Amino acid sequence: MKGLFWNDFYRPKSLDDTLMANDIRIKIKGWVESWQRGEVTKNALILWGDPGLGKTTTAFAIANELEVPVIEMNASDLRDRQSIKNIAGLASIYMDLFSIEKKGCSKVILMDEADNINDSRSKNGSSDTGGMNELLNVIRNTRNPVIITMNDYYGFRRKSGGSDIINNSLSIEFKLYNRRRDIDYNENVRKLRTNIIKIVEENGFRISQNDVSVIIERNFPDIRGIINDVQSIAINSNSSMMENLAEGQRDSATSIFEIMKEIFRGRNYEKIFELLRDKDFDTSDLVLWIDNNLPMEAEDPLDLVNAYEILSTADIYLGRVIKKQHFRYKVYAEDISAGVFNGISTVNKKFVKYEFPSMIMSMSRSKGSRSARKNALKKIGKITHTSSKGATDLLWFYSAIASTSKENKIELMELIGLDEKEMEIITG
Amino acid sequence: MEIWIEKYRPVKLSDIYGQDEVVSRLESFVKEKQLPHLIFAGPAGVGKTSAAIALTRELLGENWRDSFLELNASDERGIDIIRENVKEFARIKPFNDLGLRIIFLDEADQLTSDAQAALRRTMERFSATTRFIFSCNYSTQIIPPIQSRAVVMRFHQLSDDDLKSYLKFVISKENMTLDEDALDAICEVSSGDARKATSILQTLKYSGEKSPKAIFEMSGNLEPADFEKIVKLAMEGLFDEAVDLIEKLTVDRGYSAIDLIKGMHSFIRRQRIGQKQKLAIIEALAEAEFRLVEGGSDRVQLDALMAKLSWIGQELN
């Protein structure tokens, strides 16, 4: 994998995994569904917006949702009348031999960076004479979905034929969020952070969560830029760049302690809300922080029960955000978890040093044993025709057989194909 | 060594115990050389997977393996992976007289209704040469459009008599001797699940135990002693220690929160403690499991549960 641009394999496969504002996702899905149902109102989709947001990635994700390949023409291809006609035009009209009876479409035609089509009046040598008109023809006659991406929407409209193309298309300004720090913003930053850390690890490098956060903060929403920065830092371990930004990290660390203090000791709901407005971490982090420090602040058993009752409710709403795809639940999750002090009647007076949630550290530590267990269950399931879940129910059996004698243990390992570590997990 | 649940898996449809009605209907499909899509509904360990394999073998003949695909809805995460697998499989030309392929989708009820709807399209696309068998606990968990395209076969929980005659068959093959008392004990702890019963039997053979007491203990040890320890620590008010142990089990050993709750539940049911306390604990476990299913996280919900148990342990005696 070395030597590749990480950007090239950071290509989410589905629309749900591709980062974008939720209202935009809904619009795009609507267009995709119109092709799936065969009730198309607009043949072409224009995605326009700043570079690096994921417009091309989205186009590929759309093709993936439709289960068809992409015929792509971008700025590096000559895009005059004849070549557009030859490539995109033919692709747009003819369905595949084998998919005639199928509803929908057989491919997606992607006209990438369409604002760079140099039509007749261009001054430089490479000219795409007649390209705009041919693109319009393609859109009008196509039997396959056409996706057009561009940065400069208004410039494109001024081109000859530009406004006709726009009128025959569904135009969407591609955004990752509508306002800074709104739900889409936070959600996408969070997803991006998780994905980036995964990419870095998959490439055998390490990068601290904080470094990733800082890089995202500086570049968001330019995902391509973020990944390029991360790649260069991870590979060169060029820390001088990060040092300049260290102040920001310390800043966010103080604020969570401050919030913990206000939640447990201040007990002023309005004040907590005010502090939370400027928070620089996700609601799920807040819940984990409270969870980690609650036992120290609620020493009375009944207080602990009551406080956990509140936190547990908040936690459920947080889970429902993803489960029900309803992002407003997150606001409730935050507000409810901030009210956890209401469950504590005896306020702790002793000094408490708020601790960083151990979860975040232990989860990465446990990755090895988790995957060993998962592999072991999969292997058992494979030979006994059960799911991992089914295999879990009979785990006691393998453990019991293994404990009868060393020979049996080894035989069992060979039979299932377990390695030492996997066997150890089973026998406990 | 062989795993007995595989060694004694019924080969022919007529070898399947306790499902006479289903078996005779499936046999008539074999006779007519026609197969609709099927839904196998019924509890665990009663012969759904065995029936699917036996049916395929009898219908497609000796090359059945090449035309049989077994998928686990709960393992092959995501409908995309299932679709990919199905597509890949559908490319292979079926080598049997009927020109059929059979896809067995185990635990199909684990798929969300959206995923099932997506699967429906895949089903239609390949339906000329491919039959699906969906296995689930309850047919109502399969969406109506799929149900309407398939024939539902209901598998019943094995009666003690059926289970016993199957166990006796295994016992004679393995040259074991086992008292009637011991057989009763196995039936009691495995409640109609032949997979569980067979596993107990094999454990008896390997360990040399054969008393009813050993069988009950064995079934009591189905869960590691750790579950017991968690409950005890929490009930004694040692919240921090209980939470540490939970972290060890979830993080180091990879148990999920539901695994732990299930283990604690079967421990507490057998405990001789005050009735009020027992009820309160079971209610707390139920509530925690409910909240987890509703979307709560393992960590917070287990911590909340521990807080509740330590309160119950100290206040309700």
Side-chain angles (χ1 to χ4, degrees):
Chain A
M1 255 190 208
K2 270 173 201 143
L4 278 179
F5 288 110
W6 290 1
N7 262 308
D8 288 333
F9 57 90
Y10 176 69
R11 277 275 154 92
K13 299 277 181 295
S14 73
L15 279 175
D16 281 325
D17 288 339
T18 311
L19 303 187
M20 65 185 85
N22 208 37
D23 52 341
I24 286 172
R25 192 183 335 262
I26 290 165
K27 278 187 209 158
I28 292 177
K29 276 188 170 172
W31 187 72
V32 171
E33 278 158 17
S34 77
W35 280 96
Q36 285 166 333
R37 285 197 310 266
E39 301 163 6
V40 180
T41 50
K42 294 279 188 190
N43 285 342
L45 171 70
I46 295 178
L47 296 174
W48 63 278
D50 291 336
L53 300 180
K55 299 185 292 294
T56 308
T57 302
T58 302
F60 277 91
I62 289 173
N64 214 36
E65 302 265 16
L66 290 165
E67 299 179 85
V68 295
V70 175
I71 304 291
E72 183 183 10
M73 290 192 88
N74 58 31
S76 54
D77 304 311
L78 182 66
R79 290 188 289 198
D80 61 14
R81 180 198 303 271
Q82 203 51 45
S83 26
I84 289 185
K85 201 169 190 165
N86 286 351
I87 299 171
L90 285 179
S92 69
I93 300 170
Y94 293 105
M95 305 286 282
D96 274 355
L97 197 57
F98 297 105
S99 58
I100 287 167
E101 82 287 2
K102 208 176 69 178
K103 250 201 319 198
C105 54
S106 66
K107 50 185 74 70
V108 162
I109 296 145
L110 172 59
M111 192 60 65
D112 219 357
E113 304 163 54
D115 45 350
N116 289 329
I117 295 180
N118 297 313
D119 219 324
S120 49
R121 265 158 287 173
S122 73
K123 285 158 219 128
N124 59 24
S126 77
S127 93
D128 300 329
T129 315
M132 290 290 279
N133 258 325
E134 196 51 43
L135 179 56
L136 182 59
N137 277 335
V138 167
I139 294 172
R140 281 189 174 139
N141 303 320
T142 187
R143 290 168 63 183
N144 286 310
V146 178
I147 302 174
I148 303 166
T149 72
M150 62 186 74
N151 302 134
D152 185 6
Y153 179 73
Y154 299 100
F156 181 83
R157 187 157 70 181
R158 280 195 300 274
K159 285 177 195 274
S160 110
S163 58
D164 283 335
I165 291 174
I166 286 171
N167 290 337
N168 281 287
S169 311
L170 169 67
S171 298
I172 294 177
E173 184 187 359
F174 195 82
K175 284 189 279 192
L176 298 196
Y177 55 88
N178 290 308
R179 268 171 300 101
R180 239 179 125 72
R181 304 249 176 265
D182 67 7
I183 276 169
D184 286 329
Y185 181 97
N186 291 332
E187 186 65 23
N188 284 325
V189 164
R190 196 184 57 75
K191 274 193 193 159
L192 187 60
R193 189 165 45 210
T194 322
N195 282 326
I196 283 180
I197 290 170
K198 218 174 92 198
I199 293 175
V200 173
E201 282 172 358
E202 276 170 4
N203 280 278
F205 293 99
R206 299 189 60 81
I207 191 165
S208 78
Q209 286 234 351
N210 259 326
D211 287 1
V212 175
S213 299
V214 172
I215 294 169
I216 291 178
E217 199 61 41
R218 280 171 2 125
N219 293 304
F220 200 72
D222 181 359
I223 297 172
R224 198 184 294 140
I226 290 169
I227 295 178
N228 284 338
D229 270 11
V230 167
Q231 183 173 16
S232 76
I233 285 183
I235 291 177
N236 302 324
S237 57
N238 177 358
S239 53
S240 65
M241 180 177 164
M242 295 315 302
E243 275 162 19
N244 297 335
L245 300 154
E247 225 166 275
Q249 302 165 28
R250 240 177 276 126
D251 214 34
S252 72
T254 30
S255 63
I256 187 123
F257 291 115
E258 209 180 313
I259 288 169
M260 284 299 112
K261 205 170 147 206
E262 191 55 40
I263 286 179
F264 288 121
R265 306 286 173 98
R267 301 167 69 93
N268 179 335
Y269 224 158
E270 290 71 33
K271 179 83 185 296
I272 300 170
F273 286 163
E274 207 172 291
L275 287 175
L276 282 174
R277 200 176 306 144
D278 296 322
K279 76 175 162 43
D280 193 16
F281 47 85
D282 201 63
T283 310
S284 56
D285 295 332
L286 177 70
V287 170
L288 275 181
W289 271 86
I290 296 175
D291 171 49
N292 206 53
N293 293 294
L294 182 55
M296 291 186 287
E297 289 284 22
E299 294 199 311
D300 178 72
L302 189 57
D303 278 1
L304 194 62
V305 171
N306 291 335
Y308 262 121
E309 188 72 30
I310 297 168
L311 189 65
S312 140
T313 307
D315 179 52
I316 291 170
Y317 278 101
L318 203 55
R320 283 177 180 154
V321 173
I322 308 294
K323 247 184 111 175
K324 310 276 183 203
Q325 289 291 306
H326 184 72
F327 290 91
R328 278 227 6 110
Y329 283 154
K330 199 169 205 172
V331 186
Y332 293 118
E334 184 166 312
D335 287 1
I336 295 169
S337 58
V340 75
F341 62 87
N342 287 296
I344 306 173
S345 54
T346 322
V347 180
N348 194 354
K349 297 255 165 27
K350 283 179 282 189
F351 172 76
V352 164
K353 187 176 175 293
Y354 296 116
E355 284 171 3
F356 192 81
S358 58
M359 167 89 165
I360 294 167
M361 289 181 272
S362 51
M363 281 305 283
S364 59
R365 183 159 51 81
S366 76
K367 240 190 189 157
S369 59
R370 267 171 199 264
S371 70
R373 183 180 155 95
K374 229 166 131 185
N375 286 341
L377 291 171
K378 266 228 165 106
K379 285 176 185 172
I380 293 175
K382 189 116 199 181
I383 66 161
T384 59
H385 301 276
T386 46
S387 63
S388 305
K389 217 172 113 253
T392 313
D393 291 339
L394 285 179
L395 215 49
W396 61 269
F397 162 74
Y398 299 94
S399 164
I401 295 290
S403 68
T404 51
S405 77
K406 206 168 169 201
E407 288 73 32
N408 285 340
K409 185 174 171 178
I410 291 168
E411 257 191 79
L412 198 62
M413 275 172 72
E414 282 169 359
L415 181 67
I416 309 173
L418 298 172
D419 62 27
E420 288 281 346
K421 183 156 190 195
E422 288 160 357
M423 191 73 217
E424 198 186 309
I425 294 269
I426 286 177
T427 48
Chain B
M1 185 193 295
E2 280 177 90
I3 307 286
W4 288 6
I5 51 179
E6 286 312 308
K7 188 175 179 186
Y8 295 107
R9 188 180 284 289
V11 176
K12 288 182 295 195
L13 284 169
S14 56
D15 293 342
I16 294 171
Y17 283 78
Q19 310 292 350
D20 297 346
E21 199 194 316
V22 168
V23 164
S24 78
R25 290 177 70 191
L26 292 179
E27 281 175 333
S28 71
F29 291 137
V30 174
K31 214 173 114 204
E32 302 294 327
K33 294 194 180 306
Q34 275 187 12
L35 191 68
H37 297 301
L38 295 170
I39 295 175
F40 286 178
V46 299
K48 299 191 294 296
T49 306
S50 297
I53 296 176
L55 173 71
T56 308
R57 187 184 276 132
E58 289 181 28
L59 199 64
L60 304 186
E62 55 175 340
N63 293 327
W64 68 276
R65 269 174 214 282
D66 303 331
S67 308
F68 183 71
L69 175 69
E70 188 178 354
L71 289 171
N72 256 303
S74 66
D75 279 349
E76 330 286 340
R77 291 209 175 269
I79 184 68
D80 288 345
I81 296 173
I82 291 180
R83 262 198 237 160
E84 271 313 303
N85 274 322
V86 170
K87 254 197 263 174
E88 194 68 33
F89 176 64
R91 278 204 203 104
I92 306 164
K93 194 172 159 26
F95 270 109
N96 54 65
D97 300 342
L98 298 183
L100 263 192
R101 303 178 199 91
I102 294 177
I103 295 176
F104 179 61
L105 188 61
D106 204 3
E107 298 188 16
D109 43 358
Q110 297 290 316
L111 293 174
T112 62
S113 39
D114 285 349
Q116 290 187 32
L119 192 61
R120 193 185 119 197
R121 275 210 308 277
T122 313
M123 222 171 124
E124 277 163 5
R125 217 168 120 198
F126 298 112
S127 68
T129 53
T130 307
R131 296 290 177 275
F132 281 79
I133 302 176
F134 298 92
S135 150
C136 57
N137 291 136
Y138 304 101
S139 63
T140 47
Q141 287 158 336
I142 304 292
I143 57 169
I146 290 186
Q147 276 197 53
S148 77
R149 286 167 174 78
V151 176
V152 180
M153 300 274 164
R154 278 178 221 291
F155 287 69
H156 303 290
Q157 185 170 48
L158 294 183
S159 69
D160 282 0
D161 286 346
D162 287 329
L163 189 57
K164 260 188 214 168
S165 39
Y166 166 72
L167 289 175
K168 278 179 181 160
F169 161 73
V170 176
I171 287 169
S172 70
K173 285 273 176 194
E174 291 292 333
N175 291 322
M176 291 171 77
T177 48
L178 213 58
D179 294 343
E180 197 65 24
D181 288 357
L183 275 176
D184 285 335
I186 297 180
C187 288
E188 188 175 339
V189 295
S190 51
S191 46
D193 180 344
R195 203 179 282 147
K196 192 168 174 183
T198 315
S199 300
I200 293 177
L201 208 56
Q202 190 174 6
T203 311
L204 293 181
K205 166 94 180 194
Y206 276 74
S207 65
E209 297 275 357
K210 51 177 66 170
S211 66
K213 190 167 162 272
I215 291 164
F216 280 111
E217 262 169 25
M218 192 185 299
S219 71
N221 284 337
L222 301 189
E223 307 79 26
D226 294 315
F227 299 128
E228 182 177 336
K229 222 191 281 168
I230 300 175
V231 177
K232 284 192 168 151
L233 285 173
M235 302 276 289
E236 282 164 27
L238 300 167
F239 176 86
D240 290 340
E241 272 120 282
V243 167
D244 282 348
L245 180 56
I246 283 182
E247 183 162 325
K248 215 185 95 207
L249 290 174
T250 51
V251 170
D252 296 342
R253 302 264 304 276
Y255 284 98
S256 75
I258 302 264
D259 289 340
L260 294 188
I261 289 174
K262 223 164 110 186
M264 287 188 260
H265 178 222
S266 67
F267 163 72
I268 213 71
R269 290 183 77 190
R270 296 189 315 268
Q271 264 332 83
R272 293 202 185 285
I273 52 169
Q275 303 301 311
K276 248 190 197 152
Q277 212 173 36
K278 193 176 241 181
L279 175 65
I281 294 170
I282 291 174
E283 277 176 348
L285 292 171
E287 182 68 21
E289 187 160 336
F290 170 70
R291 289 175 175 219
L292 282 161
V293 173
E294 277 295 298
S297 67
D298 284 14
R299 169 81 166 209
V300 172
Q301 298 306 330
L302 283 176
D303 287 356
L305 175 64
M306 289 304 108
K308 219 180 238 169
L309 290 191
S310 64
W311 181 77
I312 292 170
Q314 282 156 75
E315 295 302 312
L316 281 181
N317 273 314

